[in-house]
Amino acid sequence: MAQDERRYSVRALIIVALLAILGTVLTLETAGLISHTRDKDKVQVGEFRAVYVGPREDYRMSPKPSELHAECYDGYLAVGSDTDITLKGVLVDYKNRGIRCTVAPRPPQVAPEAATPEASDHTGGDDGQTQ
């Protein structure tokens, strides 16, 4: 096809494509086929699956971390969003039963000033007796 035989310009085709997408979204919205919820109790945070990690088993996982974090919430494992702190959900199994979690006790941490020898000289028990 020669250059002078074009019937429509590229700009016109792009505008028609954008108008078609906009018209489709507006039609679906007015028909009620696109659902929006403001009630965060009904929002599904994500879909998960377990990866078995047994002895001598290799597992593949993406090296990039997700934008979610897990924490214990009233004894159940909850998943929260890193981007929206108000979005949090309890992890459930296929029968909608909560997944229990336990928080492992943390080892006691030594204060940094107590670990230095200078700090122990000032806190020591010099009771005033000399030999």
Side-chain angles (χ1 to χ4, degrees):
M1 183 181 284
Q3 182 77 3
D4 56 342
E5 292 184 14
R6 286 191 196 167
R7 294 185 180 189
Y8 305 106
S9 68
V10 175
R11 180 184 292 169
L13 291 175
I14 291 173
I15 290 172
V16 168
L18 291 175
L19 288 175
I21 292 171
L22 182 65
T24 302
V25 170
L26 287 175
T27 303
L28 291 172
E29 180 69 33
T30 56
L33 297 176
I34 298 177
S35 63
H36 303 280
T37 181
R38 295 183 192 262
D39 185 14
K40 290 196 177 185
D41 292 339
K42 297 183 181 180
V43 174
Q44 183 175 353
V45 175
E47 195 168 313
F48 302 96
R49 62 187 175 99
V51 177
Y52 178 72
V53 288
R56 296 174 297 193
E57 295 279 336
D58 289 336
Y59 63 94
R60 294 179 49 180
M61 193 169 65
S62 173
K64 295 168 66 174
S66 70
E67 293 183 348
L68 301 172
H69 63 275
E71 60 186 65
C72 271
Y73 183 78
D74 289 338
Y76 291 99
L77 185 61
V79 176
S81 173
D82 292 340
T83 57
D84 183 2
I85 60 171
T86 62
L87 192 58
K88 186 184 297 182
V90 175
L91 203 63
V92 295
D93 66 359
Y94 67 97
K95 290 187 176 182
N96 213 26
R97 299 176 295 196
I99 309 296
R100 291 186 311 268
C101 68
T102 57
V103 179
R106 294 184 181 179
Q109 301 221 347
V110 178
E113 57 271 355
T116 60
E118 295 87 23
S120 62
D121 291 340
H122 299 293
T123 59
D126 184 23
D127 56 2
Q129 295 179 353
T130 58
Q131 292 180 336

